[in-house]
Amino acid sequence: PTHKFTMAETALMMSPDFQHILRVLNTNIDGRRKTMFALTKIQGIGRRFANLICKKAEVDPDQRSGELTQDEVEKLVAIIQSPKQFKIPEWFLNRQREWKTGKTMQAFSNNLSAKLREDLERLKKIRCHRGLRHYWGIRVRGQHTKTTGRRGKTVGVK
């Protein structure tokens, strides 16, 4: 559609139990956005995973997230927290064969940032190449560094 609705027009379309901000998994979600895209505000959930969650929960992805019932929100949260129980394939999850437990899971929200920090600390502790590059604050993935990425560093001859 080429016509974008103004706030006044969307106010007319809203139901009385419309929530402007939802709190899901320690994250504030905008109630005016469509459910699929609103879920991507949760760290560790992308567009494809959000779409799959909506399909598994039988929630319309084009519905505004503020119009979701409490049961629908709880179902979405349940699927995010235990995706394997809802037959989401392992290759779809963002943390495969974790080094400590060997299990495959979906990391999200605060858990994701904690796992990332743990991984970097482990790499630094075992003094591997990637860990050292992270420690030194330089490019890790094989990029050229001779001429690029100089911002933030002091450049010049003394």
Side-chain angles (χ1 to χ4, degrees), residues 87-100:
K87 294 191 171 74
I88 291 177
E90 285 195 352
W91 54 263
F92 219 102
L93 306 181
N94 67 5
R95 196 146 176 92
Q96 297 172 10
R97 292 187 304 281
E98 188 186 18
W99 65 276
K100 254 186 200 168

Side-chain angles (χ1 to χ4, degrees), residues 126-151:
I126 64 175
R127 313 257 322 145
C128 73
H129 185 259
R130 272 178 61 202
L132 291 172
R133 307 266 313 174
H134 274 293
Y135 177 72
W136 294 329
I138 58 177
R139 299 267 195 264
V140 176
R141 296 187 173 185
Q143 299 97 320
H144 290 264
T145 55
K146 183 176 182 179
T147 57
T148 62
R150 292 182 178 178
R151 289 181 61 183

Side-chain angles (χ1 to χ4, degrees), residues 91-130:
W91 54 263
F92 219 102
L93 306 181
N94 67 5
R95 196 146 176 92
Q96 297 172 10
R97 292 187 304 281
E98 188 186 18
W99 65 276
K100 254 186 200 168
T101 59
K103 292 180 180 172
T104 299
M105 58 185 245
Q106 179 74 13
F108 54 87
S109 194
N110 300 341
N111 189 14
L112 177 68
S113 48
K115 294 278 183 196
L116 187 65
R117 200 175 322 106
E118 258 177 46
D119 288 348
L120 291 178
E121 286 304 315
R122 178 179 60 94
L123 291 173
K124 290 173 191 173
K125 190 173 140 197
I126 64 175
R127 313 257 322 145
C128 73
H129 185 259
R130 272 178 61 202

Side-chain angles (χ1 to χ4, degrees), residues 9 13 28 37 42 48 108 117 125 132 146 154:
E9 289 172 318
M13 293 186 287
N28 290 336
F37 294 101
I42 300 170
R48 289 196 63 207
F108 54 87
R117 200 175 322 106
K125 190 173 140 197
L132 291 172
K146 183 176 182 179
T154 53

